[in-house]
Amino acid sequence: MHPHDQTIFALSSGRLPSAIAILRLSGAHAGPALQMLAGKMPASRMASRALLRDASGEPIDDAVVLWFPGPASATGEDVAELQVHGSRAVIATLFAVLSATPGLRPAEPGEFTRRAFENGKIDLTEAEGLDDLIHADTDRQRRQALRQLNGLLGDKARRWREQIIEASALIEAGIDFSDEGDVPAELMAPALSRVEQLLVEIEAVLSAEGRAERLRDGLTVVIAGPPNAGKSTLMNQLARREVAIVSPHAGTTRDLIEVQLDLDGYPVTVIDTAGIRETEDPVEQEGVRRARDRAGQADLVLWLTENDQAETERAGDVPVWLVRNKIDLGGAEPEITSGSPGGRSFAISAQSGTGMAALLDAMVGFARGFFGSTESSFITRERQRQSLKEAADALRRSLGAVGLGEELVAEELRIAALELGRLLGRVDVEDLLDVIFREFCIGK
């Protein structure tokens, strides 16, 4: 039996134990399995209470059951849902009963969503939006993912693809039926006009400022600097909890310590690094090497020094802000506006929190400028940007081929339509699907 012909089941709710657990089934055997467990078939799309029993009639749990016959279901197949008490014993018993039922098997990660995609319920951009929504940690991530799930980019891409295919059809019709071998102007002109307008629209989406696709992963900020400058104390101030060992002894942090922050809805990963200094200790040398390497890959480096120091170490093209710490010991002003490598300089006390408000406000401003206007962005993944760029390049080549042969124009339009088909997951993406859906959790 082909894997897609089998009925799948999985726990779709969170970690056990819980007050309620939701178990879903999808496939041709979902109905018979529900009939066997509940002893009856509930009305379609109506919640119904039932005492679930195993094949021998032994009671399992008092549950609420729902029945969604395909194709009008989330996956396009017959779907059953069991809302049971969330104990490990109940779920283990249900899994054992379902696993012993012919034609049923546990679902793989993302398999429910993949079936929805393959049955035309959602396109690939909407599936990616669903995955992003599940993993959203901040409100801005949630809003962006929800827009994508609701077809923000997919709807546009479908319309673009339809118009490209229509323009290509006009040109190819002219090639097929022209006695002179040239496409008549009454066919060519409207087709080219449509292509030009589409290119303007796609380029506008591509040129929108910001890096909205980076919102999924967030901004990376590295705290670096010499040993004993207070990097771990600053990390604790940012995280508002003890996440790093704070010690007056130089070289305490031997590795990288990360914490995820929500700064005004922007996801930020802050990394505390080993103090950068010359040392003979091979373990500490490795920590320093990792610190330098991570700083070079960051989006922003906070170079922390003690109050009387003003030297920084560059990290390639990464902006570096000079943060003078321990001002409570030296009496400096909370914020200094000077020309550090990243254009900003601050004075704080990581111990008491003095100057932290100004530093946090500046970090929020940096994130806002880095991500741009995510509220109006259509692109949420690099894959999407690449497909749109390839489509725009093909449209540009099609316009450049005018006068060189209508066949060349039509071929470039075919490539543009193909790229938008890839964006939507409708053509030539089999190698991509396993990668995308494997990232989903089981039961989704």
Side-chain angles (χ1 to χ4, degrees):
M1 181 181 290
H2 191 276
H4 288 188
D5 295 332
Q6 295 178 311
T7 296
I8 56 175
F9 64 89
L11 184 68
S12 293
S13 51
R15 182 178 300 176
L16 302 175
S18 59
I20 298 293
I22 299 174
L23 197 150
R24 300 167 71 203
L25 300 87
S26 179
H29 295 279
L34 180 58
Q35 174 80 48
M36 182 262 296
L37 286 167
K40 62 180 180 179
M41 286 300 292
S44 299
R45 297 169 185 83
M46 294 284 289
S48 175
R49 186 176 177 183
L51 179 62
L52 304 184
R53 300 176 183 272
D54 61 20
S56 64
E58 185 71 22
I60 301 173
D61 190 24
D62 191 9
V64 172
V65 297
L66 294 103
W67 169 239
F68 304 94
S73 70
T75 63
E77 304 173 332
D78 288 347
V79 171
E81 184 174 295
L82 312 175
Q83 299 182 7
V84 299
H85 293 98
S87 78
R88 293 187 178 92
V90 168
I91 298 303
T93 302
L94 283 171
F95 267 54
V97 171
L98 293 173
S99 296
T101 303
L104 271 65
R105 65 170 174 82
E108 297 173 359
E111 194 168 4
F112 284 91
T113 307
R114 180 162 183 164
R115 290 192 177 193
F117 164 75
E118 291 174 342
N119 291 324
K121 292 294 180 177
I122 55 174
D123 66 42
L124 200 52
T125 68
E126 291 164 340
E128 289 169 327
L130 177 57
D131 185 37
D132 291 346
L133 185 61
I134 291 169
H135 293 100
D137 291 319
T138 73
D139 195 53
R140 292 181 190 274
Q141 287 178 318
R142 177 191 63 80
R143 293 201 300 265
Q144 175 172 282
L146 191 59
R147 289 194 303 273
Q148 200 67 281
L149 175 58
N150 289 334
L152 180 74
L153 178 60
D155 290 347
K156 271 188 173 295
R158 268 187 293 277
R159 179 174 60 81
W160 290 335
R161 187 166 183 253
E162 289 168 1
Q163 292 183 353
I164 290 170
I165 291 172
E166 288 172 5
S168 181
L170 286 175
I171 295 172
E172 291 179 2
I175 294 172
D176 292 339
F177 297 107
S178 173
D179 294 334
E180 303 297 325
D182 293 327
V183 176
E186 60 268 22
L187 293 178
M188 195 71 171
L192 293 178
S193 175
R194 188 170 299 175
V195 170
E196 288 173 352
Q197 179 59 36
L198 287 173
L199 181 58
V200 169
E201 290 186 33
I202 295 175
E203 284 183 331
V205 170
L206 284 169
S207 63
E209 291 186 5
R211 307 171 180 85
E213 62 265 40
R214 282 289 312 276
L215 191 65
R216 297 178 58 245
D217 302 319
L219 192 72
T220 301
V221 177
V222 164
I223 303 174
N228 204 27
K231 294 184 295 300
S232 297
T233 309
L234 175 58
M235 171 76 118
N236 292 336
Q237 273 283 356
L238 291 171
R240 299 294 174 87
R241 58 190 173 90
E242 295 295 321
V243 295
I245 301 169
V246 180
S247 164
H249 304 295
T252 300
T253 304
R254 300 283 184 104
D255 207 337
L256 307 180
I257 299 172
E258 299 189 12
V259 65
Q260 311 294 323
L261 300 183
D262 179 344
L263 285 184
D264 193 34
Y266 295 107
V268 177
T269 299
V270 180
I271 301 174
D272 176 21
T273 63
I276 295 179
R277 67 168 183 173
E278 297 300 322
T279 175
E280 298 300 320
D281 183 343
V283 176
E284 193 173 344
Q285 284 176 347
E286 175 62 15
V288 171
R289 186 196 67 77
R290 293 185 187 185
R292 285 198 170 103
D293 183 61
R294 200 67 182 89
Q297 300 171 17
D299 301 307
L300 173 66
V301 172
L302 302 181
W303 186 269
L304 196 69
T305 68
E306 294 196 50
N307 186 40
D308 57 349
Q309 298 174 333
E311 295 182 0
T312 64
E313 182 172 312
R314 280 191 173 275
D317 297 328
V318 179
V320 180
W321 291 359
L322 175 62
V323 181
R324 291 187 177 92
N325 190 22
K326 306 183 183 180
I327 61 169
D328 49 336
L329 303 180
E333 293 298 320
E335 181 175 1
I336 307 165
T337 54
S338 68
S340 66
R344 304 212 61 172
S345 178
F346 300 86
I348 67 166
S349 169
Q351 188 67 44
S352 68
T354 305
M356 286 298 301
L359 179 59
L360 283 169
D361 285 347
M363 290 172 66
V364 170
F366 182 86
R368 187 178 297 118
F370 182 88
F371 291 115
S373 178
T374 57
E375 295 297 324
S376 59
S377 176
F378 291 87
I379 299 172
T380 60
R381 296 198 177 203
E382 184 59 35
R383 178 196 77 83
Q384 299 166 0
R385 182 176 294 278
Q386 190 58 37
S387 287
L388 278 185
K389 183 178 181 302
E390 294 291 343
D393 290 345
L395 291 180
R396 203 174 295 110
R397 291 194 302 267
S398 74
L399 294 172
V402 174
L404 302 177
E406 290 82 2
E407 293 84 354
L408 291 176
V409 177
E411 174 62 16
E412 293 298 347
L413 292 180
R414 186 193 68 79
I415 293 172
L418 180 69
E419 286 300 332
L420 291 178
R422 287 191 176 122
L423 172 66
L424 294 165
R426 294 298 172 219
V427 293
D428 193 26
V429 290
E430 280 303 315
D431 56 337
L432 183 68
L433 296 183
D434 286 339
V435 174
I436 290 177
F437 289 109
R438 194 164 51 236
E439 294 177 354
F440 279 64
C441 53
I442 293 175
K444 199 61 188 169

